[in-house]
Amino acid sequence: MDMPKQRQYNVMHRWAYVSPKFISQLSARVLYDKRESGQSLKHHNPASNMPFYSIDINTHRYEGQWKNAIILDPDHNASVALMLHGSIHDSKQSYGHRLYDVNQRNGYAQLMYETDITERHNLSVGASLNHDYYKEEYNLARWQPNNEHCIDKETTKGVYAQYTYKLDEMFTFMGGLRYDHSSRYGGFVTPRVHIKYCPNEVFTIRASAGKGYRTPHALAENNSLLATGYDFNGYIEPMIVAFCQEEAWNYGLSTSFDIPVGEKSLELNAEYYYTDFKNQLVVDVNPENLSIEFHNLVGKSYSHTIQVDATYPFLEGFTATAAFRFNDVRCTYYNHETYKYDLLRWKPLTSRYKGLLTLSYKTPLELWQFDVTGQLIGPSALYDDTRSPSYGLLNAQLTREFRYFSIYVGGENLTGYKMKNPILYADDPFSTHFDATQVWGPTEGAMGYIGIRFKFEKL
């Protein structure tokens, strides 16, 4: 099936108590999500003696959050805040004979103190505690049951301090430093700095630099790869624990202009971000060997991103936005010709560039709104190092506002562009060549929709 059957229920409720000295917010959320895909009965031939290939994903998530703040000194914006968050995420998944069940439990607590020392100086300090529990059960074999299980626990305690200096609206400097200790990786330091300079009302420039760490979970983050016939080489319990902590430096520079053009203002933004990975979980998919390997980074991995966007209100109620983004994302993979980790290439399924043009018009009484969006999606590298073609998408929506509700009707992919062969070897899903993971474009043609949005206002 090109589009899975999906049934999802979301229930969320929030409570809030606000007084001059105390603020408290409590929220709870429950999610139920069921997805079914795989072969349809129409395309399954019982005479072939091949089993029916189905994909079933059932997810339950329970989440709660409690935020509290005590105002100590309103004149200096001094306050103490306590934030608590907990979640249980349970997902049972099957891809043919391959199974993956994961139960994640997370608890997070943060205590922070913030104050304006003077009008120009702000200080924020705090401590945090995070606990993650993963229980994974999986069968990565295509035919014979080979059930494995893994329990992964990590507790991270940390403290941080952040200082901000403001010189009117012209200059802002923010520097932060935190220290964390992980029960799995030990201690590590995370610095960051942000600078904003705004000499006038027309021009603003921002610069940032910082370091980041992350704990990878190979199967939980790449469970879609189970919808292949490739072999998972070397993925056993000792290998799971051997993954190092991801580590990267991030640098950014952005500028914004508010240029008077005629009687209106042209908003122009440009930004550049660079991420340099010192370590990373690498997902190495090799169609030649029909294998999938997870390993720590050996060599270089980086990302360059440049984006430019502009917004201008041509007429009263009519606004146009144009944007273009260029990506250069590369990673070092294993070279089966040299038998070394020396193959630096584009990261698969990451588009080289993207373009966007949005036109929006709202009538003077704001009863009607028209929105049209065009997108240009650039090529991306595939697992065999070939490239997907570039293509365009067109979406449109019409909205009619009423007092207590609104009605909208629209269409997506109005040009009807579709991939010709999104699922490789779809007629033999239990073969080693089967691959349903290299989806780089739409699998459905033009689609229309209609909906009603209700607004309930407090009396």
Side-chain angles (χ1 to χ4, degrees), residues 288-300:
E288 292 185 3
N289 294 346
L290 303 175
S291 64
I292 299 173
E293 294 187 26
F294 300 102
H295 58 80
N296 295 310
L297 175 66
V298 180
K300 296 181 178 180

Side-chain angles (χ1 to χ4, degrees), residues 210-312:
K211 199 173 188 180
Y213 292 86
R214 196 180 76 91
T215 299
H217 297 276
L219 274 183
E221 299 165 10
N222 301 279
N223 58 325
S224 62
L225 293 177
L226 296 175
T228 68
Y230 297 173
D231 291 325
F232 285 79
N233 290 349
Y235 194 91
I236 56 178
E237 185 172 347
M239 185 65 177
I240 301 174
V241 190
F243 294 138
C244 296
Q245 189 179 32
E246 291 191 332
E247 177 185 351
W249 281 95
N250 303 280
Y251 309 92
L253 181 66
S254 65
T255 59
S256 59
F257 299 86
D258 197 350
I259 306 172
V261 178
E263 297 180 355
K264 299 179 174 61
S265 179
L266 170 65
E267 296 181 12
L268 181 63
N269 302 290
E271 59 186 38
Y272 165 73
Y273 288 96
Y274 171 62
T275 301
D276 181 21
F277 281 93
K278 301 304 179 182
N279 189 60
Q280 186 181 25
L281 172 66
V282 178
V283 183
D284 202 339
V285 182
N286 192 315
E288 292 185 3
N289 294 346
L290 303 175
S291 64
I292 299 173
E293 294 187 26
F294 300 102
H295 58 80
N296 295 310
L297 175 66
V298 180
K300 296 181 178 180
S301 179
Y302 58 83
S303 169
H304 294 277
T305 301
I306 301 174
Q307 178 170 311
V308 178
D309 63 83
T311 301
Y312 186 73

Side-chain angles (χ1 to χ4, degrees), residues 367-369 396-402 404-412 447-455:
L367 298 178
W368 294 89
Q369 181 170 339
Q397 180 173 297
L398 171 63
T399 304
R400 175 62 164 92
E401 296 284 349
F402 297 90
Y404 296 111
F405 66 95
S406 59
I407 300 176
Y408 57 90
V409 58
E412 297 181 355
M447 181 182 70
Y449 60 87
I450 185 171
I452 301 177
R453 184 182 296 111
F454 294 93
K455 294 176 289 185

Side-chain angles (χ1 to χ4, degrees), residues 165-405:
Y165 172 74
K166 292 183 179 181
L167 180 60
D168 300 325
E169 298 296 329
M170 180 181 297
F171 179 79
T172 301
F173 169 86
M174 186 188 75
L177 185 69
R178 68 174 294 136
Y179 171 80
D180 292 276
H181 185 274
S182 165
S183 60
R184 182 171 170 182
Y185 298 107
F188 51 95
V189 178
T190 308
R192 69 170 178 174
V193 61
H194 297 265
I195 299 175
K196 174 185 174 183
Y197 179 59
C198 183
N200 49 56
E201 297 180 354
V202 176
F203 175 70
T204 302
I205 184 171
R206 296 176 177 88
S208 64
K211 199 173 188 180
Y213 292 86
R214 196 180 76 91
T215 299
H217 297 276
L219 274 183
E221 299 165 10
N222 301 279
N223 58 325
S224 62
L225 293 177
L226 296 175
T228 68
Y230 297 173
D231 291 325
F232 285 79
N233 290 349
Y235 194 91
I236 56 178
E237 185 172 347
M239 185 65 177
I240 301 174
V241 190
F243 294 138
C244 296
Q245 189 179 32
E246 291 191 332
E247 177 185 351
W249 281 95
N250 303 280
Y251 309 92
L253 181 66
S254 65
T255 59
S256 59
F257 299 86
D258 197 350
I259 306 172
V261 178
E263 297 180 355
K264 299 179 174 61
S265 179
L266 170 65
E267 296 181 12
L268 181 63
N269 302 290
E271 59 186 38
Y272 165 73
Y273 288 96
Y274 171 62
T275 301
D276 181 21
F277 281 93
K278 301 304 179 182
N279 189 60
Q280 186 181 25
L281 172 66
V282 178
V283 183
D284 202 339
V285 182
N286 192 315
E288 292 185 3
N289 294 346
L290 303 175
S291 64
I292 299 173
E293 294 187 26
F294 300 102
H295 58 80
N296 295 310
L297 175 66
V298 180
K300 296 181 178 180
S301 179
Y302 58 83
S303 169
H304 294 277
T305 301
I306 301 174
Q307 178 170 311
V308 178
D309 63 83
T311 301
Y312 186 73
F314 285 92
L315 302 171
E316 187 68 28
F318 176 69
T319 302
T321 299
F324 185 83
R325 182 172 63 195
F326 172 80
N327 300 310
D328 184 11
V329 184
R330 301 178 189 242
C331 185
T332 302
Y333 296 90
Y334 184 75
N335 192 336
H336 290 268
E337 295 182 357
T338 63
Y339 303 103
K340 296 180 181 179
Y341 291 96
D342 59 3
L343 183 60
L344 182 65
R345 63 184 179 92
W346 287 3
K347 193 171 183 179
L349 302 179
T350 301
S351 61
R352 187 72 165 169
Y353 56 82
K354 289 185 178 181
L356 173 74
L357 176 62
T358 298
L359 305 177
S360 179
Y361 175 70
K362 184 175 290 187
T363 58
L365 297 179
E366 298 187 351
L367 298 178
W368 294 89
Q369 181 170 339
F370 305 85
D371 296 285
V372 178
T373 300
Q375 297 183 61
L376 175 63
I377 312 297
S380 58
L382 303 180
Y383 295 140
D384 59 0
D385 216 18
T386 60
R387 299 182 184 181
S388 65
S390 58
Y391 61 94
L393 296 175
L394 181 63
N395 304 329
Q397 180 173 297
L398 171 63
T399 304
R400 175 62 164 92
E401 296 284 349
F402 297 90
R403 183 174 181 181
Y404 296 111
F405 66 95

Side-chain angles (χ1 to χ4, degrees), residues 414-435:
L414 297 179
T415 57
Y417 183 85
K418 293 196 302 182
M419 288 183 62
K420 294 182 179 180
N421 191 22
I423 301 177
L424 304 179
Y425 290 85
D427 56 339
D428 192 6
F430 288 95
S431 72
T432 55
H433 293 84
F434 172 72
D435 187 0

